[in-house]
Amino acid sequence: MSDVRTCPTCGAKAKYKVKDQEETFTAVQDVEAFKKVGQMKKAMEKFKSKAEALEKELEELKLKK
């Protein structure tokens, strides 16, 4: 994941990079942020569905005993 820091010039959130001993700050675009949020939502949905399936399987195993 990118190193995000506060830009010392404008105070906005920015990606921080050091290349050849030169620090650079690149503004974080809303599109990028929405893309990352979308990725996180997909990952959480995947996890949620797996957890629900495991809970269902556990209940079935408890009933069989």
Side-chain angles (χ1 to χ4, degrees):
M1 197 172 250
S2 301
D3 186 8
V4 178
R5 298 184 182 184
T6 302
C7 177
T9 308
C10 65
K13 296 292 180 191
K15 290 181 188 175
Y16 173 77
K17 291 183 184 178
V18 177
K19 187 175 182 181
D20 299 326
Q21 298 179 353
E22 183 179 328
E23 295 179 326
T24 58
F25 290 89
T26 308
V28 175
Q29 302 295 318
D30 286 339
V31 174
E32 294 175 53
F34 287 127
K35 184 178 176 183
K36 291 288 182 189
V37 169
Q39 290 173 344
M40 291 297 291
K41 283 184 178 180
K42 285 181 185 177
M44 289 300 294
E45 282 298 319
K46 204 179 228 185
F47 174 77
K48 183 180 174 185
S49 65
K50 286 182 181 179
E52 288 172 350
L54 288 171
E55 285 178 354
K56 184 178 179 182
E57 185 177 339
L58 179 61
E59 285 299 317
E60 289 174 2
L61 288 172
K62 284 181 180 178
L63 293 175
K64 287 182 181 179
K65 284 187 174 182

